[in-house]
């Protein structure tokens, strides 16, 4: 069994949740599905952030890159929770790096190996021209990230002073959104499914999402 720590829970359609974890034994990020490769509902899902689980899983190859983290959990047993002294930004980032999980510093555009592109409205994405080999990472933000909702949807704005009005990131976490994420916080970022609006000629893209943070 692999030792997996839960690092994110995000909302999906039909009351399902997407659960992100880090496999410390095999040194990789994982996205935990049930044995049949489906996301569990909020009522069924036993995982909580900071939980440590022993899990037997098999990798799933149902989705194209960059979504290579999907795994089907065959057996699982809760081992405990991560110690409080390991939950600081410094210590947890050290654990992540030891597990080959990307942890970026500096400006937001450094994340995903600098492959993020920007729409005219400040939304970040990747397209088929430059696909990273992972869809989740962590970022130690160099500036305050502010809540900036739009049309009833929770999102955050990061302004590096280079682009007018900065960059906007949709929030998909289950935790109560804060008004401000302080500089120096460890933020978990992910790339959404490949998608293109039906009324647009844009190519399919994976848009950037913010799923949670650790102060």
């Amino acid at each position: 069994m692999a030792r997996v720590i839960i690092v994110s829970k995000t909302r999906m359609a039909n009351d399902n949740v997407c659960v992100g974890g880090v496999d410390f034994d095999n040194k990789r990020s994982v996205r935990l599905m049930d044995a049949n490769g489906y996301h569990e509902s909020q009522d069924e899902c036993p995982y909580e952030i900071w939980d440590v689980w022993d899990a037997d899983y098999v990798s799933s190859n149902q989705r194209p890159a960059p979504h290579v983290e999907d795994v089907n959990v065959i057996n699982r047993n809760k081992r405990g929770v991560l110690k409080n002294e390991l939950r600081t930004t410094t210590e947890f980032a050290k654990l992540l790096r030891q597990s080959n999980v990307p942890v970026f510093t500096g400006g937001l555009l450094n994340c995903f190996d600098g492959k993020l592109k920007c729409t005219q409205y400040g939304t970040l994405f990747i397209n088929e021209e430059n696909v990273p080999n992972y869809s989740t990472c962590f970022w130690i933000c160099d500036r305050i990230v502010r809540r900036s909702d739009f049309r009833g949807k929770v999102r955050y704005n990061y302004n590096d002073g280079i682009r007018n009005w900065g960059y906007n990131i949709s929030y998909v976490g289950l935790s109560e959104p804060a008004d401000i994420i302080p500089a120096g916080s460890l933020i978990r970022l992910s790339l959404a499914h490949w998608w293109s609006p039906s009324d647009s000629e844009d190519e399919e893209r994976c848009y950037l999402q913010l799923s949670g943070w650790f102060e």
Side-chain angles (χ1 to χ4, degrees), residues 108-109 114-127 158 160 163-168 205-208:
L108 176 59
L109 295 183
K115 296 180 179 181
L116 293 169
K117 297 185 176 183
C118 184
T119 70
Q120 61 178 321
Y121 304 109
T123 305
L124 295 168
F125 66 93
I126 62 104
N127 61 12
Y158 168 82
D160 58 6
R163 181 186 183 279
N164 287 338
W165 304 293
Y167 306 94
N168 300 307
R205 299 169 175 176
C206 298
Y207 287 92
L208 186 67

Side-chain angles (χ1 to χ4, degrees), residues 139-200:
W139 169 47
I140 300 175
C141 57
D142 62 330
R143 297 168 183 253
I144 288 174
V145 180
R146 300 181 183 276
R147 183 173 174 177
S148 178
D149 294 2
F150 182 70
R151 293 182 177 177
K153 294 184 178 181
V154 180
R155 70 176 188 180
Y156 282 88
N157 179 269
Y158 168 82
N159 196 331
D160 58 6
I162 298 175
R163 181 186 183 279
N164 287 338
W165 304 293
Y167 306 94
N168 300 307
I169 319 168
S170 294
Y171 176 62
V172 293
L174 292 177
S175 300
E176 185 68 22
D179 290 334
I180 290 176
I181 302 175
S185 298
L186 183 67
I187 295 177
R188 186 179 185 273
L189 300 172
S190 63
L191 296 171
H193 297 286
W194 288 103
W195 176 78
S196 175
S198 58
D199 58 351
S200 170

Side-chain angles (χ1 to χ4, degrees), residues 10-182:
T10 60
R11 63 177 59 87
M12 302 183 68
N14 302 320
D15 200 38
N16 290 340
V17 291
C18 180
V19 179
V22 175
D23 179 344
F24 285 148
D25 295 327
N26 295 297
K27 299 188 183 304
R28 59 172 296 195
S29 292
V30 290
R31 188 176 292 106
L32 303 173
M33 325 279 272
D34 68 15
N36 297 312
Y38 295 103
H39 294 282
E40 294 181 283
S41 70
Q42 291 195 43
D43 291 337
E44 296 172 333
C45 181
Y47 305 114
E48 297 295 340
I49 295 174
W50 296 128
D51 281 356
V52 181
W53 287 75
D54 289 323
D56 278 332
Y57 64 75
V58 294
S59 293
S60 171
N61 297 314
Q62 295 182 11
R63 294 199 292 165
H67 302 97
V68 299
E69 298 91 352
D70 295 354
V71 299
N72 299 353
V73 178
I74 310 303
N75 292 298
R76 63 191 179 191
N77 180 60
K78 186 176 178 180
R79 182 171 183 160
V81 296
L82 190 70
K83 295 178 180 179
N84 286 333
E85 56 265 32
L86 297 178
R87 300 185 188 184
T88 66
T89 294
T90 300
E91 292 302 316
F92 193 49
K94 186 187 302 182
L95 284 176
L96 293 170
R97 290 187 173 107
Q98 290 171 352
S99 301
N100 294 331
V101 176
V103 180
F104 293 94
T105 58
L108 176 59
L109 295 183
N110 292 337
C111 297
F112 291 99
D113 301 321
K115 296 180 179 181
L116 293 169
K117 297 185 176 183
C118 184
T119 70
Q120 61 178 321
Y121 304 109
T123 305
L124 295 168
F125 66 93
I126 62 104
N127 61 12
E128 292 183 349
E129 293 179 1
N130 213 0
V131 181
N133 59 2
Y134 57 93
S135 67
T136 63
C137 72
F138 287 82
W139 169 47
I140 300 175
C141 57
D142 62 330
R143 297 168 183 253
I144 288 174
V145 180
R146 300 181 183 276
R147 183 173 174 177
S148 178
D149 294 2
F150 182 70
R151 293 182 177 177
K153 294 184 178 181
V154 180
R155 70 176 188 180
Y156 282 88
N157 179 269
Y158 168 82
N159 196 331
D160 58 6
I162 298 175
R163 181 186 183 279
N164 287 338
W165 304 293
Y167 306 94
N168 300 307
I169 319 168
S170 294
Y171 176 62
V172 293
L174 292 177
S175 300
E176 185 68 22
D179 290 334
I180 290 176
I181 302 175

